[in-house]
Each structure stands twice: as structure tokens, then as C-alpha cells.
Amino acid sequence: MKFSTIRRFIRYYRPHMKLFSLDMLCALVVSIIDLVYPSVAEKIIDSCEGLAAGTGTLTAEGILRTILLLGALLLVIYIVKMGCNMFIAYWGHVIGTRMQGHMRHDVFHHLQTLPLKYYDNTETGTIMSKVYNDLFDVSELAHHAPENFFLAGIMMIGSFVILVQKCWQLTLIIFLFVPIIVAFALFMRKRMHEAFSSCRKKTGEMNADVQNSVSGIRVTRAYTSRDHELDKFDRINGEFVAASSYRYKSMGQFHSGMTFLMDLLYLMALVGGGIFLYRGAITIGAFTAFLLYINSFLKPINMLVALFEQVQEGATGFERFLGLMDEPEEKDDPGAVAVDKVEGTIAFEHVSFDYRDQETIGDDKLLIHDLNIEIPAGKTVALVGPSGGGKTTLCHLIPRFYEISDGRILIDGQDIRSMTRDSLRANIGIVAQDVFLFNGTIRENIAYGNFNASQQEIEEAARRANIHDHIMSLPEGYDTNVGERGVRLSGGQKQRISIARAFLKNPPILILDEATSALDNATEMQIQASLEELGRGRTEIVVAHRLSTVKKADEIIVIDERGVAERGTHEELMEQDGIYAGLYRYQFREA
Ligand code: ADP
């Protein structure tokens, strides 16, 4: 882990410094208390031994009193330890959870500011995995790591100091073994890190697949493509199992290796200590204390081993979290100002754009190349042409969903880049073919147009969108839950809700992107009336393939793969007798 990563991690501790310090204090008390027991045992054994050998200073009664006194002292100490352990287990986890909550807040906030391009290239499941699984591991690391590191550190240093006093030669022999353990742990570290990373990645992919599959369940049913979905899932699931198995293999090697090294350490203490005892260099009490202290020396090593895993998981999770946090946000340009309600004149001046990297594709291959359009305030421009020509894209450039590479887009003569995004977007309403409703009530969904709207305003918007009567006929009225993505409503009803949203927002600029294309003719006719009312007095950009709806536009622009192919009023284009006239005649005959 890089230093800057650690620094960013530490930043999350700041609001919890008080609790965290107390947590550390408790860890300190626990680790010191754990060092007491072997010394007490040594004292008791040596006193009894002295009495038996006739070399002790205490009488039998004195020894008994000492034993009881020490026992009582230990009992008190252990009660304190219980309290400290409770604090560590409870508040330690609470600190972790609060930090996790803080990080989740940051990541969600960041997700709200990322450009749409990020979402075009990232699967939802992967994002979910970062927000949930990864951050859980991070929070576990956040409190366990410092607690255990502290506990282990104190115990190791403490037991070392005490062991040296008991028998420094034996202590040195044992401590010479520690570098071997550290070297082994470091060697395994890299392998485990890779294994954990790959496992995380696979979890993300698997989440993405399940999410995708569940969202597409209707398509799966309709096309009876269950086997295909199963195959796809089984492949990813298999890859996950393989990655996970490799992770457990590396964990297994690590664990068994570490345990073996520690067993060797025990063995050395036993044999070495035995020899020293045999030679009379140490007392039985010291020998026993030595063995017990080896335990308090091994315990922190064990803790560090567990910590190691946690650090691996947590660090991998935190790095993935940072990866997301470091995705560049959509930022307003320097000096951008918030605009109020605009008049609504829109101008495209020599605008170029493509989703692909423009360096690698030629200028003439750009999706939008050197485009000029002028729409006076309150007028309507219709975009028509074959699918894939870039009509939707063009609409999305106005609210700056994507950044143009050349030229300028002006609203009321002002470059949209000089406006804050929020204020720009507040001036634009979009009614598109795909209506997205959030899981929630009808009221909440309409209120997306204006969160400050009163119930009356919401109802007025619904009335103008011709959906009020229908809503009122539902048992729960405006409180009816629309279901995930609005599954409980028909296409026409969803579209009316989105129109009501636009009414409520009341923007000077309106984009209708194939708003009625997914609807049947009868529904389209009804909705068309609402849309006409919605468009009144606004600057409108209408994308439609049903030309009856664009006929009245002030200008019709025909866009094909090469860019603007024709432009003019309906009459002018019919006279030109080009693409538009052909399409119109075809549809007219069809009708
Ligand atoms: P239209 O609205 O005229 O049907 P679009 O603007 O939707 O056309 O799409 C124009 C082209 O841009 C298509 O070739 C499409 O594949 C591509 N495209 C659309 N959206 C994206 C996106 N988010 N990322 C990459 N390419 C896209």
C-alpha cells in the first residue's frame, strides 16, 4: 500500500479520535494484564518450591495467604479486562461501522457526480460490490488492525523484556527465529494480495451478472433463454470458485506454514528451557513462566497473522474504493455561474462529438461533425433520420451529459460551459422513450420535477399530463407504489408520469426524444395532446420517427450517418424531394 493511500485511510479516523483513543487504551490495558499471569504463577511455584526445599522465606501459612491474595488481585484485574474487552468488541466495531458509513456516504456522493461516461463503461453489480462488500472489509480492518497491532506490539515487547530477565540466552535463541517468521509472512503477502484482488474482481463480475440477469428476467422468460443465462452464470461462477480456491490455497499455505514455524518455536523453548533447567541455570518457576511467556509471545504473532489477512482484504477493498473515488468528477468550469431561467435560444456552432477516442478516428468519421443549428426561443426543431445517426446524442449534449470536443453550444448566446451544470440542467426538461421511474410512490416520482412542489402542484401537473383521474382511481391514489422501475404501470402511464414531471419542472427548454415511439397508436394520440400542451411556450427539440408529429416543427433537420443531410420546414423539404419527402410519403402511404 502506498503512503498516500494510508494517509487517506487515516483521514477517516479523525472524527472518531476520542473513541478510538479509548479503544486503544483498552487494548493497552488488556495486553498488560495478559502479561501478569505467568509472573504470578512463577511466584507461587517458586514459593512452594522454596518451602519444599527449605530455602524459602515464607511459612506455609504465609504462602497460602499470598496465593489467595494474588488470586483476589487477579480476579479484580480480570474484571477490568472483561470491561476493556467489552469496550473493544462493542465500540471498536461501532467505530468501524461509522467509518464505513462515512466512506459509503463519500462513495455514494461521488457516484452522483461522475460523468455518464463512467456509467457507460461500468456495470452496476461492480459498483454495488464496491459499495457493500469492499467497504465492509475496510471497516473490519479499520478497527481490528490498530487494536490488534497495538495489543500484539505491547505483548511482544512486554514478554520480550520479561523473558530476557528470566534467561537472556534462551530468549536470544528464540528471538533469532522471529526474522524467519517475518520473512515467510512477507513472502506470502504478495501471493495472497493477488489472490484476494482477483477474488474481489470476480465477486464484482458475478454481482453484475446476477443484477443484469434479474433486470432482464422478462426477456429471459420471453425468449426462453434460461439455458443461455445459466451457462453464462455458471462460467462466471466457475471462475469465481477457481479464484476463491486459489485464495484459500494461498491462505492454507500461509496458515500451515506459520503454525509450523510457531510449533518449532515452542519446541525450541521446551528443549532449550529443559536443558537450562537441567543445568540448574533457572528455577522451575522461571521455566514455567518462560513457557507461559512464550505463549504470550506467540499469541501476538498469531494475532499478527490474522491481522495480515485482514489487512490484505481491507487494503484490497480500500484500494478498490479509492479507485472509484479517484474517478474524475463532473466539475463546473472555472468561473461558471449559476444562471436563472433562460429565454431558450439554442445554438450549436461547429459542434463535434464522438463517444470513441477522437484521436484514433478521422474527423469525417465523427458521429457529430461540425454541426450548426440555431433554434430561436420558443421554436421547435425536429430531428429525424435513421436510427443510430446521433439524434439522441445531440439532445444529450445540451444538458452536458457528454462533453463536446469542438465548437460551442450556446443558450441565449452564452456558452453552456460558462454555466453551472445544475443551473443549466434546471432549465431543460427531457421526456424520453425510456421512462425511468424510481421505486417509490407516484407522488415521489412526479415530485422529481420539483422536490419543493406542494400536493396541489403535483396534482395540477398530473392533471395536465392527463393521468390525475387514473391515479385517483387507484386504491392508494398518489401513494401507490410504482414497483421497481415502474413495472406496475403500463408504458403509457409511465410516460404520462414523466410528462407530469416535466410539467412540474416547467423548464424553458424541452427535449422530447422519441417520447411516444414505444406506445400504440391510440395511446400515442392521447399523449400527443399532453405533449403539445407541454411544449407550448418552450424551446423544443423533438426526435420522432412518426413524421406526423414533426410536421409542424419550425425546422426539420434530417440526420443520417454522414451528418445533417437536409434541413428546412416540412413544405421546403417536401419540395426538395429528398430523404424526408421519401420517408414522409412512405409513412403516409403506410397510414
Ligand atoms: P439515434 O438517436 O439517432 O438513434 P444515438 O445518438 O442513440 O442515435 O446513437 C448514435 C451512435 O452512438 C450509435 O452508433 C450508438 O451506437 C452510439 N452510442 C450511443 N450512445 C452511446 C454511449 N453511451 N456510448 C457509446 N456509444 C454510444
Side-chain angles (χ1 to χ4, degrees), residues 120 355-356 367 385-394 402 513 543 559:
D120 289 346
Y355 293 101
R356 296 160 295 177
L367 180 60
S387 168
K391 302 181 295 295
T392 300
T393 306
L394 201 153
Y402 296 92
D513 186 2
V543 179
I559 293 179

Side-chain angles (χ1 to χ4, degrees), residues 429-537:
I430 302 180
V431 179
Q433 180 174 353
D434 276 337
V435 177
F436 189 95
L437 296 189
F438 292 90
N439 192 9
T441 62
I442 291 181
R443 178 182 307 124
E444 283 162 5
N445 269 292
I446 297 179
Y448 254 82
N450 175 8
F451 288 109
N452 299 320
S454 65
Q455 173 67 18
Q456 254 173 344
E457 287 169 315
I458 290 176
E459 281 182 23
E460 175 59 24
R463 226 172 254 124
R464 294 174 79 181
N466 271 327
I467 182 97
H468 175 73
D469 293 340
H470 174 74
I471 298 173
M472 292 314 283
S473 73
L474 298 169
E476 289 175 85
Y478 279 86
D479 291 320
T480 306
N481 197 302
V482 299
E484 195 171 23
R485 284 179 161 246
V487 284
R488 291 191 205 130
L489 299 174
S490 75
Q493 288 157 356
K494 282 199 275 189
Q495 195 54 279
R496 284 187 186 285
I497 289 184
S498 99
I499 292 170
R501 250 183 211 166
F503 267 119
L504 198 60
K505 185 170 185 178
N506 193 22
I509 296 170
L510 185 66
I511 294 170
L512 303 179
D513 186 2
E514 302 271 17
T516 56
S517 301
L519 306 174
D520 56 273
N521 279 339
T523 317
E524 184 191 9
M525 258 165 55
Q526 292 162 2
I527 286 193
Q528 201 55 49
S530 306
L531 286 176
E532 268 171 34
E533 152 131 25
L534 178 63
R536 209 156 292 147

Side-chain angles (χ1 to χ4, degrees), residues 40 44 47-48 60-73:
V40 174
I44 294 175
S47 306
C48 294
E61 208 175 288
I63 289 175
L64 194 62
R65 205 176 312 123
T66 312
I67 290 175
L68 289 177
L69 202 71
L70 287 175
L73 187 70

Side-chain angles (χ1 to χ4, degrees), residues 45-56 63:
I45 292 172
D46 280 347
S47 306
C48 294
E49 174 68 12
L51 184 71
T55 54
I63 289 175

